């Protein structure tokens, strides 16, 4: 019987136990020794192209701003792939981009419609990540959308390069390790505006705030109040207005009798156009109060909205992230590329989106990978210049860019339909920099989606 | 709270109310004559507003010359535009025409809106007379979305300013009329114009229905369509014309509203829901009720937006119209001036 050797009858020996253990160890550990290129990170590009996801409002109230963002992204893709005149790639201080795609792969893109609704924006971002294999999501024109999509990208393990979002929360209490913002924020608007307002209107002013009743409105009101109160202004009242409000007459009418001599409109988009129009109709621009000329302030300006408000913006102070009339080499190169392709100058939304696309591509080149953790590492603490706002730092602690902020004023005598704002002051980055911890929140750790 | 502040909100309420009343008047007219719940009525208001924009653009059509001494944003010679109307009628007349583009738009809006009204009624809505109200709501709401998207595709999503003639820019000092200090009770000229215009349109509609044979037949048809038909009168044709008139009223309300708020393609939806509440509170099919409810709800909304009121009851500004509607309908289920038998089986 001893010759009848079936496997089950193999006598246990030290050698056979060692063999069996080695074999099972090999089976158990097999997935871990497959090269990381197969299971390294979410949507790792395999072929000769890489897909980026542009998530912008293509319908709804911000559709025109979204269309301008998309134009900028298309221009960026063109430049990254080596077509066109190269735009700001020629002036960018980092020379990692060579017009040969990203890491040698041709850049392709898919688009989604945020509808300026957080739920719709998350759904379109998810679809681009899961169905189209987008390795990075970028764009948007609202802080509510930015915070929602940033959260989704963190969970999905892709990088989010925010578009136009101005709330402190995006890189404050809601910051995420996978999310990065180039655009400035409410705090910076307040810090840049206050000294100019003090100089223009004096230190003894009484302000009345009308504030859009949502996240961005609150942080903007708080920023402007804090910085103006610090220089001696008094806040007479702050009234929240519904986001859906269209006729602001009931909110504007009592302002003049309130004892205030400044009206601050913490409104954006249609809210800003309508409240400013009401304020001008009620004669606030020509009114006198407390021995001063009555003044109106719009903390966040956009050229597209200035166009909607028409004549009413003349002489009104505000802040903006970037303006096409800037004369640095980067801005000039971008305005030239964009203007020649589309026939009109780019908006600040277009600028920030173009820059974000370039910054992402550059970070991938420098990191040598699309792995979100590698990209985040390359962006954190990255100092650059030549992209239109002077020397800029992507701060590691909160993934917020620190750069010069523009204080602008509605132009009295525009020479064209685009010439609506004039730059009053370029506030240096050092004047608008704050401690990363003041808005709370935790970055957490980067998620590569592996 | 000062008396002047309260008076200011009454003025505001009358002004808001006049817009609500104009839209609700058309809505209730359509419901009263054709029995159709027209959710596309807000879109008609919006199209009226874009008649203003169109007239402004038509009057601003220009010849382009190059000014070599100035440059545009790309450093090319600046294009200088001279409107045709300035070349044809002289600079001062041409500029005055552009300045008065909003009131001039009324001339375009009336035929355009009548036509849109006829086409809508004959082409789409008449096929839904025998269908349940829910079908009518769905099809007219769908139509509203289509109209919005057409306007958005052509004019873009951003608001487009259409200012009032320069002589109406600024405010009238009401306070001084009634003995307050100067500057305490100021009210914009154009909003006063809007209120007076709305009153005029409402009076014209009432006079038309009350004092003309056509109006008498329509009123008779509203009371008993079948009997009027049996008398050999083509009541359907008259109701189609009334649909056109209702569309024109909404359009005129939109034209004159553009200096108050710069129009965008969502202009109509902002008013639609409130206008329906106005119609229901006024009493379905009651013209007087629509006007009365428009003003009552407009004034209530204005008072609820006062800082002192919001501080006392936070959020009241957003719900006051609906709260008032609930209370009024609890007390008077047919609305303020509603008649028995309307929308009741």
């Amino acid at each position: 019987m001893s010759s009848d050797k079936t496997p089950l009858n193999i006598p246990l020996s030290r050698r056979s136990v060692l063999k069996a253990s080695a074999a099972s160890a090999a089976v158990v550990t097999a997935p871990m020794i497959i090269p990381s290129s197969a299971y390294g990170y979410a949507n790792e590009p395999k072929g000769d192209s890489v897909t980026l996801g542009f998530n912008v409002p293509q319908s709804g109230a911000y559709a025109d701003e979204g269309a301008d963002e998309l134009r900028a992204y298309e221009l960026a893709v063109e430049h990254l792939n080596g077509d066109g005149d190269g735009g700001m790639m020629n002036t960018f201080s980092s020379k990692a981009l060579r017009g040969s795609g990203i890491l040698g792969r041709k850049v392709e893109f898919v688009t989604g419609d945020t509808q300026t609704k957080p739920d719709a924006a998350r759904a379109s971002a998810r679809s681009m990540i899961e169905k189209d294999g987008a390795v990075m999501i970028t764009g948007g024109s609202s802080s509510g959308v930015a915070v929602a999509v940033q959260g989704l990208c963190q969970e999905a393990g892709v990088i989010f390069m925010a578009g136009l979002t101005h709330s402190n929360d995006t890189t404050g209490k809601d910051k995420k390790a996978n999310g990065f913002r180039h655009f400035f924020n409410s705090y910076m608007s307040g810090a840049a505006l206050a000294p100019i307002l003090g100089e223009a209107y004096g230190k003894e002013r009484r302000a009345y705030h009308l504030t859009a009743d949502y996240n961005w409105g609150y942080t903007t009101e708080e920023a402007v109040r804090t910085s103006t109160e610090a220089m001696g202004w008094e806040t007479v009242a702050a009234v929240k207005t519904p986001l859906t409000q269209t006729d602001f007459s009931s909110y504007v009418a009592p302002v003049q009798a309130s004892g205030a001599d400044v009206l601050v409109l913490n409104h954006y988009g249609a809210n800003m156009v309508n409240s400013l129009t009401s304020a001008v109709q009620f004669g606030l621009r020509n009114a006198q109060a407390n021995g001063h000329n009555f003044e109106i302030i719009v903390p966040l300006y956009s050229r597209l909205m200035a166009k909607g408000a028409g004549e009413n913006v003349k002489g009104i102070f505000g802040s903006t992230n970037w303006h096409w009339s800037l004369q640095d080499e980067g801005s000039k190169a971008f305005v030239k590329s964009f203007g020649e392709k589309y026939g009109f100058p780019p908006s600040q939304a277009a600028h920030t989106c173009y820059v974000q696309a370039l910054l992402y591509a550059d970070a991938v080149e420098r990191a040598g990978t699309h792995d979100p953790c590698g990209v985040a590492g390359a962006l954190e603490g990255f100092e650059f210049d030549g992209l239109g706002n002077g020397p800029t730092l992507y701060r590691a602690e909160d993934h917020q860019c620190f750069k010069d902020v523009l204080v602008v004023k509605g132009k009295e005598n525009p020479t064209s339909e685009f010439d609506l704002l004039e730059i009053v002051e370029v506030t240096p980055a050092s004047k608008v920099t704050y401690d990363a911890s003041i808005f709370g929140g935790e970055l957490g750790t980067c998620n590569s989606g592996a | 709270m000062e008396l002047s502040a309260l008076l200011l909100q009454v003025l505001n309420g009358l002004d808001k109310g006049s817009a609500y009343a104009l839209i609700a008047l058309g809505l209730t007219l359509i419901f009263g004559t054709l029995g159709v719940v027209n959710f596309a009525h807000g879109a008609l208001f919006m199209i009226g507003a874009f008649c203003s924009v169109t007239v402004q653009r038509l009057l601003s059509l220009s010849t382009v010359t190059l000014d070599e001494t100035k440059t545009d944003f790309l450093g090319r010679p600046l294009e200088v535009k001279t409107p045709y109307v300035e070349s044809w009628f002289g600079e001062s007349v041409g500029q005055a025409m552009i300045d008065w583009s909003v009131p001039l738009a009324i001339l375009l809006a009336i035929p355009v809106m009548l036509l849109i009204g006829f086409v809508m009624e004959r082409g789409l809505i008449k096929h839904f007379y025998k269908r349940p109200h829910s079908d009518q709501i769905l099809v007219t709401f769908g139509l509203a979305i289509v109209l919005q998207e057409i306007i958005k595709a052509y004019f873009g999503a951003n608001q487009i300013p259409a200012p009032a003639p320069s002589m109406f820019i600024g405010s009238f000092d009401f306070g001084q009329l009634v003995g307050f200090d100067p500057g305490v009770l100021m009210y914009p000229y154009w909003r006063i114009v809007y209120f007076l215009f709305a009153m005029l349109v409402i009076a014209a509609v009432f006079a038309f229905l009350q004092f003309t044979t056509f109006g008498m037949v329509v009123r008779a048809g509203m009371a008993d369509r079948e009997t009027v038909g049996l008398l050999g009168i083509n009541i359907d044709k008259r109701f189609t014309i009334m649909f056109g008139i209702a569309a024109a009223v909404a359009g005129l309300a939109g034209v004159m509203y553009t200096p108050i708020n710069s129009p965008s393609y969502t202009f109509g939806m902002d008013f639609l829901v409130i206008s329906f509440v106005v119609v229901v509170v006024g009493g379905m099919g009651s013209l007087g009720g629509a006007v009365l409810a428009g003003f009552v709800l407009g004034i209530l909304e204005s008072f609820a937006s006062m800082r002192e009121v919001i501080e006392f009851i936070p959020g009241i500004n957003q719900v006051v119209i609906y709260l008032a509607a609930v209370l009024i309908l609890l007390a008077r289920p047919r609305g303020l001036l509603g008649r028995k038998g309307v929308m009741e089986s």
Side-chain angles (χ1 to χ4, degrees):
Chain A
M1 294 291 287
S2 62
S3 64
D4 187 15
K5 286 188 179 175
T6 62
L8 284 173
N9 291 335
I10 295 171
L12 279 176
S13 66
R14 189 173 61 91
R15 186 173 295 264
S16 65
V17 169
L18 280 175
K19 272 186 188 169
S21 310
S24 32
V27 170
V28 171
T29 57
M32 293 197 289
I33 52 176
I34 288 175
S36 65
S37 58
Y39 291 97
Y41 52 90
N43 291 342
E44 182 177 355
K46 296 290 194 317
D48 52 8
S49 68
V50 55
T51 305
L52 309 182
F54 302 146
N55 206 20
V56 305
Q58 297 181 47
S59 58
Y62 294 154
D64 279 3
E65 205 156 52
D68 221 35
E69 293 188 355
L70 213 47
R71 287 184 201 109
Y73 284 130
E74 285 173 14
L75 189 68
V77 168
E78 197 177 295
H79 292 166
L80 288 171
N81 285 333
D83 299 323
D85 63 7
M88 279 203 269
M89 271 168 47
N90 302 320
T91 57
F92 190 13
S93 56
S94 170
K95 297 298 171 199
L97 295 171
R98 291 176 296 277
S100 54
I102 305 177
L103 292 179
R105 289 190 179 89
K106 185 168 189 268
V107 182
E108 291 179 346
F109 65 90
V110 287
T111 70
D113 182 7
T114 67
Q115 302 171 33
T116 312
K117 293 175 186 160
D119 289 347
R122 278 175 72 96
S124 57
R126 184 184 293 279
S127 164
M128 288 191 286
I129 295 167
E130 292 178 355
K131 291 189 184 146
D132 304 313
V135 71
M136 178 273 276
I137 298 294
T138 179
S141 192
S142 137
S143 292
V145 162
V147 167
V149 176
Q150 181 165 265
L152 176 92
C153 290
Q154 178 70 37
E155 292 159 23
V158 298
I159 288 285
F160 174 63
M161 303 295 280
L164 192 155
T165 155
H166 187 245
S167 167
N168 291 337
D169 293 350
T170 313
T171 49
K173 80 176 177 54
D174 295 314
K175 60 179 170 264
K176 293 280 183 286
N178 283 34
F180 290 84
R181 169 165 69 179
H182 169 263
F183 206 71
F184 73 148
N185 63 17
S186 306
Y187 177 93
M188 297 181 190
S189 285
L193 268 172
I196 305 296
L197 296 176
E199 211 173 282
Y201 302 145
K203 303 280 166 72
E204 288 177 12
R205 284 284 190 161
R206 291 161 61 80
Y208 192 109
H209 287 254
L210 288 181
T211 303
D213 195 0
Y214 76 114
N215 174 301
W216 171 79
Y218 310 148
T219 71
T220 304
E221 180 195 311
E222 189 194 349
V224 177
R225 277 179 77 155
T226 310
S227 53
T228 52
E229 283 172 8
M231 70 178 180
W233 286 24
E234 185 189 335
T235 304
V236 176
V239 179
K240 291 186 175 62
T241 59
L243 194 56
T244 52
Q245 192 72 33
T246 51
D247 181 6
F248 285 85
S249 55
S250 325
Y251 297 96
V252 169
V255 172
Q256 214 178 331
S258 69
D261 46 40
V262 172
L263 172 64
V264 183
L265 296 173
N266 300 305
H267 289 147
Y268 191 66
N271 277 179
M272 174 261 182
V273 173
N274 293 335
S275 63
L276 180 58
T277 305
S278 281
V280 173
Q281 278 168 6
F282 274 83
L284 293 182
R285 290 304 306 281
N286 308 316
Q288 294 279 321
N290 310 327
H292 302 290
N293 284 333
F294 198 99
E295 304 293 351
I296 303 172
I297 297 159
V298 176
L300 178 61
Y301 248 133
S302 137
R303 195 197 79 226
L304 295 176
M305 274 133 223
K307 199 174 161 190
E311 295 269 311
N312 299 331
V313 299
K314 286 185 174 181
I316 290 177
F317 279 111
S319 67
T320 185
N321 190 57
W322 177 84
H323 193 253
W324 63 267
S325 64
L326 282 168
Q327 286 304 310
D328 61 283
E329 291 308 313
S331 298
K332 283 199 293 192
F334 179 52
V335 172
K336 182 169 174 290
S337 293
F338 192 99
E340 284 176 352
K341 188 172 165 75
Y342 301 113
F344 45 84
S347 62
Q348 61 172 350
H351 169 256
T352 200
C353 289
Y354 178 92
V355 169
Q356 284 281 71
L358 251 51
L359 284 169
Y360 172 79
D362 174 76
V364 173
E365 289 284 353
R366 287 185 291 111
T369 174
H370 283 277
D371 184 336
C373 296
V375 176
L379 282 171
E380 286 176 347
F382 179 49
E383 292 181 48
F384 58 93
D385 198 355
L387 295 184
N389 297 98
T392 305
L393 164 71
Y394 237 129
R395 186 159 72 179
E397 289 81 0
D398 54 2
H399 296 183
Q400 171 67 50
C401 268
F402 286 84
K403 53 193 166 34
D404 299 347
V405 170
L406 306 182
V407 176
V408 290
K409 193 162 84 163
K411 205 162 185 176
E412 295 286 355
N413 296 306
T415 55
S416 74
E417 59 179 310
F418 314 116
D419 187 28
L420 300 172
L421 303 175
E422 64 179 311
I423 299 167
V424 179
E425 168 105 353
V426 179
T427 306
S430 59
K431 296 269 177 65
V432 297
T433 301
Y434 54 86
D435 190 287
S437 63
I438 63 171
F439 297 123
E442 286 292 330
L443 265 185
T445 52
C446 78
N447 176 15
S448 62
Chain B
M1 205 181 295
E2 289 176 20
L3 182 61
S4 60
L6 290 175
L7 282 175
L8 197 56
Q9 296 301 354
V10 171
L11 287 176
N12 258 330
L14 288 174
D15 195 52
K16 270 180 213 269
S18 54
Y20 297 159
L22 274 182
I23 302 174
L25 184 68
L27 264 177
T28 207
L29 207 55
I30 292 171
F31 184 77
T33 51
L34 301 167
V36 172
V37 182
N38 180 23
F39 261 68
H41 211 67
L44 295 173
F45 174 78
M46 181 265 297
I47 291 175
F50 275 90
C51 283
S52 274
V53 175
T54 306
V55 168
Q56 182 180 264
R57 291 200 171 168
L58 286 175
L59 291 174
S60 304
L61 281 177
S62 306
T63 49
V64 178
T65 48
L66 291 180
D67 183 350
E68 301 285 348
T69 59
K70 292 177 183 157
T71 53
D72 73 354
F73 73 100
L74 285 176
R76 301 172 300 198
L78 188 69
E79 291 184 345
V80 180
K81 292 179 177 170
T82 315
Y84 286 112
V85 286
E86 285 188 23
S87 332
W88 295 338
F89 304 110
E91 198 176 327
S92 57
V93 177
Q95 280 180 356
M97 284 174 78
I98 296 171
D99 190 34
W100 279 74
S101 60
V102 170
L104 284 175
I106 291 174
L107 300 177
L108 174 74
I110 292 174
V112 166
M113 298 311 297
L114 281 172
L115 186 69
I116 291 176
F118 294 152
V119 172
M120 245 174 91
E121 202 273 338
R122 287 289 96 186
L124 184 70
I125 291 177
K126 78 165 185 182
H127 303 295
F128 287 81
Y129 288 154
K130 301 253 173 350
R131 305 275 282 268
H133 285 307
S134 55
D135 286 12
Q136 296 170 354
I137 289 172
L138 283 175
V139 76
T140 51
F141 195 71
L143 181 65
I145 294 171
V146 170
L147 292 173
Q148 274 194 9
E149 291 300 315
I150 291 172
I151 292 290
K152 191 175 94 177
Y154 191 74
F155 291 95
N158 276 341
Q159 291 172 290
I160 302 170
S166 46
M167 69 175 289
F168 293 112
I169 288 172
S171 295
F172 175 67
D173 200 336
F174 255 112
Q176 276 190 308
L177 274 187
V178 285
F180 289 118
D181 292 335
V184 170
L185 186 55
M186 308 279 285
Y187 208 71
Y189 286 120
W190 188 260
R191 285 178 184 259
I192 299 167
V193 169
Y194 192 83
F195 175 73
L196 296 175
F197 176 79
M199 289 290 101
L200 189 71
V201 172
I202 291 168
V205 171
F206 275 91
F208 179 70
L209 288 174
Q210 206 66 37
F211 303 123
T212 63
T213 316
F214 184 98
M216 191 179 70
V217 173
V218 169
R219 280 188 293 126
M222 283 167 81
D224 191 342
R225 183 182 185 139
E226 208 170 327
T227 309
V228 174
L230 287 172
L231 291 172
I233 296 169
N234 185 351
I235 193 73
D236 285 355
K237 191 174 151 199
R238 284 171 171 77
F239 280 178
T240 304
I241 293 172
M242 283 317 293
F243 194 100
I245 290 174
V249 169
L252 290 179
V255 168
M256 295 293 275
Y257 204 76
T258 50
I260 294 178
N261 269 352
S262 302
S264 75
Y265 73 103
T266 58
F267 214 42
M269 285 293 176
D270 301 334
F271 282 90
L272 182 72
V273 177
I274 292 178
S275 300
F276 263 98
V277 176
V278 168
V279 169
V280 173
V281 168
M284 295 293 290
S286 162
L287 301 179
V291 176
L292 177 67
F295 286 118
V296 167
L297 294 184
I299 291 172
L300 271 177
E301 192 188 6
S302 287
F303 277 121
S305 309
M306 292 178 77
R307 182 161 51 97
E308 293 82 354
V309 179
I310 302 174
E311 277 168 8
F312 189 61
I313 316 174
I316 186 71
N317 49 341
Q318 305 198 40
V319 295
V320 68
I321 282 193
Y322 307 101
L323 204 61
V326 169
L327 292 176
I328 290 171
L329 291 178
L330 278 176
R332 294 182 65 86
R334 292 195 188 99
L336 291 174
L337 301 178
R339 283 175 296 130
K340 197 177 176 186
V342 178
M343 267 203 131
E344 291 170 6
S345 52

